[in-house]
Amino acid sequence: MPPLTDTIAAPACDTTPTDLLSLLGAEEQEVARVMQICNACRYCEGFCAVFPAMTRRLEFNAADTHYLANLCHNCGSCLYACQYAPPHEFAVNVPQAMAKVRPKTYQDYAWPRALGELYRHQGVTVALALAGGLALFLVLAVAMSGHLVHPPLAGNFYAIFPHNFLAVVFSIVFLYAIAALAVGVSKFWRDISPAGESAALTPGELARARGPAAVEAVYDVAVLRYLGGGHGVGCNEDDDRFTLVRRWFHQLTMYGFLFCFAATSIATLYHYLFSYEAPYPWLSWPVVLGTIGGIGLLIGPAGLLWLNLQRDAERSDIAQRPMDRGFIALLFIVSITGLALLVLRDTRFMALWLAIHLGTVMALFLTLPYGKFAHAVFRSAALFKHTLEKRLPNRIGLGGD
């Protein structure tokens, strides 16, 4: 493709901003700047969801920049394909620009708003300190009851902590995390989906578009479609070589988490619907699914940490790395303590490992709304917005989906 002509000048950072750009923060201004250049070039239009969504806009407000930033999966393909990437004077670096806006999304839409500051400070130290503190508290509570080392209890966790106590405490923590994420993503959705964009459709047409759009968005999330890179062969990691390892580690992490959640859900149904109480045998659904999930949450986070440690700073936001690594560390610790508890549940040390595991699980859920887990929720909303938007009339009539 021939380079842009001189009629399209690089919007330098020191140029006088338009009225629209003056309302944006520095990070949002950079996304708007590079998107305006990309909108003129269109070389990467087929790479991922960001670029078709970009072509539906001639200028970019704050909501647009946050929407596009959460569509970006940071695969790096556009950076290595771009003829205007650094050291070119245009300095187009889409992955890095998007990476710097995404934490602002999590922070700005956090609920309660005051806790949004946790996104900036939550790192490995905070995550480990919270998990360690809660685990120590529970260990001391068990020790004070005289059950820290005990005769084997055949895996009966409720001999240490009563079932109702665990159900109440973890239900409160879990429901709070879900509520905080739901409030935040609802505000995000209202901002990125103004009512005027669907004015060309009747309510019935819009309702018919939502179903297929939701199905496509769920599929894109389930297969992590856009971690396949611009050509479906993977992300660029150390260089311009494509690899699918990032998608594989994300899938192991995501499905490991879902398998563990499914194990807990089935155990809950067993207990309340069928009066079938724990402990469950090795070949029961809760144990099998929990074991598979635990293994996924060992391999996936370990791989993601390895990639994070070697990722080129040019295509990421260095300030976000402590938050990334804190979340990865918590997932790994929850998994390894859970598997250790499963192995040691028939021994004298079951109570000790139960207290440690429950402390780490509680720390994980307390930090879910204010850590890297939020990216999954906001990215899913952005993908749904994209699949729905594709089914709406293009208001400017440029580009193609």
Side-chain angles (χ1 to χ4, degrees):
M1 175 176 177
L4 296 179
T5 65
D6 292 338
T7 59
I8 302 177
C13 296
D14 58 353
T15 56
T16 302
T18 65
D19 290 340
L20 179 64
L21 290 185
S22 66
L23 300 176
L24 307 183
E27 294 84 0
E28 289 92 346
Q29 285 192 41
E30 179 62 9
V31 168
R33 183 187 76 85
V34 299
M35 286 292 95
Q36 287 169 344
I37 296 173
C38 293
N39 225 349
C41 174
R42 306 270 180 110
Y43 179 81
C44 299
E45 189 171 345
F47 275 27
C48 72
V50 169
F51 298 100
M54 169 198 73
T55 64
R56 287 175 166 262
R57 293 154 176 82
L58 294 179
E59 43 187 12
F60 303 88
N61 59 30
D64 290 332
T65 63
H66 284 265
Y67 162 51
L68 295 173
N70 282 279
L71 273 185
C72 174
H73 287 57
N74 205 267
C75 73
S77 296
C78 59
L79 177 64
Y80 288 96
C82 183
Q83 58 188 322
Y84 305 114
H88 191 280
E89 62 177 328
F90 284 16
V92 173
N93 188 334
V94 173
Q96 187 176 76
M98 300 297 190
K100 289 183 177 181
V101 167
R102 280 193 295 274
K104 292 191 66 179
T105 301
Y106 316 149
Q107 182 176 346
D108 292 349
Y109 290 97
W111 182 85
R113 181 67 183 270
L115 296 181
E117 283 294 310
L118 291 176
Y119 283 111
R120 299 199 326 182
H121 304 296
Q122 190 199 136
V124 177
T125 302
V126 173
L128 295 183
L130 181 60
L134 290 171
L136 179 60
F137 173 78
L138 293 177
V139 167
L140 292 175
V142 172
M144 291 177 66
S145 69
H147 295 132
L148 196 57
V149 179
H150 52 79
L153 299 172
N156 183 12
F157 302 153
Y158 304 140
I160 307 300
F161 293 106
H163 174 270
N164 289 341
F165 168 77
L166 294 179
V168 170
V169 170
F170 281 91
S171 292
I172 292 172
V173 173
F174 176 73
L175 291 175
Y176 171 77
I178 295 299
L181 288 168
V183 171
V185 79
S186 296
K187 293 191 295 182
F188 174 68
W189 180 260
R190 287 195 299 269
D191 284 352
I192 67 173
S193 300
E197 73 178 9
S198 58
L201 297 180
T202 67
E205 290 172 328
L206 183 59
R208 285 191 293 272
R210 285 197 184 107
V215 171
E216 183 180 353
V218 169
Y219 174 81
D220 289 346
V221 172
V223 302
L224 297 176
R225 173 183 174 186
Y226 294 110
L227 284 178
H231 305 287
V233 291
C235 300
N236 297 100
E237 289 304 325
D238 292 337
D239 48 35
D240 60 358
R241 177 179 57 88
F242 294 103
T243 173
L244 287 168
V245 293
R246 187 162 172 253
R247 180 160 75 178
W248 296 337
F249 287 139
H250 270 88
Q251 286 175 324
L252 284 167
T253 302
M254 178 177 73
Y255 285 106
F257 184 88
L258 292 177
F259 269 83
C260 289
F261 183 76
T264 303
S265 300
I266 292 174
T268 302
L269 293 177
Y270 279 179
H271 185 93
Y272 288 105
L273 290 185
F274 305 107
S275 298
Y276 179 20
E277 298 185 359
Y280 301 111
W282 284 92
L283 295 181
S284 64
W285 280 112
V287 175
V288 171
L289 292 177
T291 302
I292 295 173
I295 293 172
L297 284 179
L298 282 180
I299 300 173
L304 292 177
L305 179 60
W306 170 63
L307 292 176
N308 187 279
L309 290 172
Q310 65 177 3
R311 175 157 296 174
D312 185 356
E314 189 178 55
R315 48 168 288 213
S316 62
D317 177 19
I318 297 178
Q320 192 180 158
R321 288 183 178 180
M323 180 177 68
D324 294 347
R325 294 169 186 175
F327 178 62
I328 291 171
L330 268 182
L331 285 177
F332 188 86
I333 293 171
V334 165
S335 178
I336 201 167
T337 57
L339 290 174
L341 175 61
L342 182 63
V343 172
L344 299 171
R345 67 178 184 169
D346 292 328
T347 71
R348 300 188 304 146
F349 304 103
M350 183 266 286
L352 173 63
W353 281 101
L354 177 62
I356 294 173
H357 179 61
L358 292 179
T360 59
V361 171
M362 190 179 297
L364 175 65
F365 278 96
L366 283 172
T367 58
L368 279 188
Y370 312 109
K372 188 58 186 285
F373 182 84
H375 90 286
V377 180
F378 286 99
R379 181 162 288 160
S380 298
L383 284 169
F384 180 41
K385 155 80 170 176
H386 171 63
T387 57
L388 181 60
E389 189 177 60
K390 290 197 302 182
R391 290 163 170 82
L392 303 179
N394 191 335
R395 291 171 295 171
I396 62 175
L398 298 175
D401 295 327

